[in-house]
Amino acid sequence: MTASAPEQTADAPTLRDFGGGPFGIYVHVPFCATRCGYCDFNTYTAGELGSSASPESWLEALRGEVAAAAAAFAELPSPQPPVSTVFVGGGTPSLLGGDGLADVLAAIRAEFSLAADAEVTTESNPESTSPQFFEHIRTAGYTRVSLGMQSAASHVLRILDRTHTPGRAVAAAREARAAGFDHVNLDLIYGTPGESDADLDASLDAVLSAGVDHVSAYSLIVEDGTAMARKVRRGELPAPDEDTLAARYERIDARLTAAGFGWYEVSNWATTSSARCRHNLGYWDGGDWLGAGPGAHSHLGGVRWWNVKHPGRYAERIASGAGLPAAGWEALTDAEQYTERVMLRVRLRSGLPVEELDAGGRAALENVVAEGLARVADDRLVLTDRGRLLADGVVRDLLS
């Protein structure tokens, strides 16, 4: 990775002002112990990075970026709102250990004011956690943990190149609850080649035994450039089947609903409204956020920017005193903001206010409702169960 061509850098984004909605901070941790075959995230193993970057250099750069962002936001016309949510993702944030994650939160608190009821989440790989880890980050101020489970079937985990053992995710979830976390999420991936209905049922049994209050379930997407994509192209693995994916989604929804979970976004279920991920709701509802770390994306009042991707170049940009380490930025037009509102809010159980649709969208809404893909309740477009399976198609119809 160190020999790759340098990325083009950009002038500092021309910020407008805060958008008036919730304000969150996302921190991207780019480190992983191994690379999963399906993953196309901006992540690096120690061997890929060599001496060009380390958790220590990344943390020092993160402090610099957070300070630069706070200084830039202080120049805006409106006072900066308190940070309502923090989400540390990756990558594998738990590789930083309890001390490292405590340092991340301390860096944010040094520059920003957190709301008294701020939601503070970290993603974690079950294998790099322990009871002591959860106790440490709970004491540091984290309020929510998201654990990558993917599957309870060992052969499915092998196909995904996941390193944790079946059963460890459930044990980690229980350890987190014992450490005082009220809000714990388990992530599932369904539709992996070789996964059977029985495998999925076993995964759901495990999830429901863990005592968590949130579940995310995503269909496997074979991304170009990944090891899995190469295996599919060579015929070593079959591509995910759309009908199978739809049937698996319905199976997941039925099991979770019967167990007291309710969907609030197409791929997310929670036991109560307080168990919903407020940080992600900020994205879906058009809020503002600072994305800190290599490759992270930010949004503020209709202006979006994204950081240089490589951890080494990211640290160099911060060390140069150039301010925000943006690789590029754009001021969204009204039409672009409209498109994003429709794309994101249609996926929510709370739905999209009909009044926000333009003339073409309202005309398309009649067809969407007639086809049984959505209904109108309290002047909001809400997907039906069938519509959730075809959410992307509904969005295309509304925007066409």
Side-chain angles (χ1 to χ4, degrees), residues 25-50:
I25 294 179
Y26 171 79
V27 176
H28 185 69
V29 180
F31 308 109
C32 282
T34 60
R35 181 171 297 281
C36 298
Y38 62 92
C39 180
D40 71 339
F41 292 170
N42 185 43
T43 61
Y44 306 83
T45 64
E48 290 170 330
L49 286 173

Side-chain angles (χ1 to χ4, degrees), residues 191-395:
T192 301
E195 178 191 60
S196 66
D197 287 346
D199 293 330
L200 180 61
D201 286 341
S203 296
L204 290 167
D205 289 342
V207 166
L208 296 176
S209 75
V212 299
D213 64 349
H214 191 286
V215 177
S216 300
Y218 304 103
S219 64
L220 178 68
I221 298 175
V222 180
E223 301 284 2
D224 289 341
T226 62
M228 180 171 283
R230 292 189 288 273
K231 290 180 180 179
V232 170
R233 189 168 57 249
R234 292 194 297 262
E236 298 171 17
L237 289 175
D241 176 75
E242 292 297 325
D243 291 337
T244 299
L245 292 176
R248 295 272 162 79
Y249 179 88
E250 291 176 324
R251 200 178 193 97
I252 291 167
D253 184 56
R255 286 288 306 277
L256 292 178
T257 300
F261 288 78
W263 78 278
Y264 68 98
E265 191 273 343
V266 168
S267 298
N268 290 272
W269 292 257
T271 55
T272 63
S273 59
S274 63
R276 297 170 182 172
C277 180
R278 288 164 47 200
H279 186 84
N280 287 340
L281 282 168
Y283 296 149
W284 298 321
D285 280 332
D288 291 325
W289 70 92
L290 168 68
H297 286 230
S298 301
H299 174 270
L300 197 74
V303 176
R304 180 164 51 212
W305 67 97
W306 47 95
N307 289 349
V308 294
K309 295 181 68 173
H310 192 276
R313 290 192 289 275
Y314 165 77
E316 289 170 1
R317 281 290 302 278
I318 297 297
S320 73
L324 296 174
W329 66 281
E330 59 183 342
L332 301 175
T333 65
D334 289 344
E336 289 169 335
Q337 292 186 66
Y338 171 76
T339 295
E340 293 196 357
R341 280 198 304 274
V342 173
M343 288 176 59
L344 296 172
R345 293 184 181 177
V346 161
R347 296 178 61 87
L348 294 173
R349 187 168 192 161
S350 56
L352 173 71
V354 174
E355 65 181 14
E356 293 191 8
L357 289 169
D358 61 15
R362 293 189 187 196
L365 174 60
E366 295 182 13
N367 293 330
V368 169
V369 171
E371 292 172 4
L373 301 178
R375 57 188 175 85
V376 176
D378 298 324
D379 295 322
R380 302 176 80 90
L381 179 163
V382 180
L383 294 175
T384 62
D385 289 347
R386 179 166 171 262
R388 279 191 280 160
L389 295 172
L390 301 168
D392 290 344
V394 172
V395 169

Side-chain angles (χ1 to χ4, degrees), residues 104-117:
V104 168
L105 192 52
I108 293 171
R109 283 182 167 142
E111 303 292 343
F112 289 92
S113 174
L114 267 65
D117 64 344

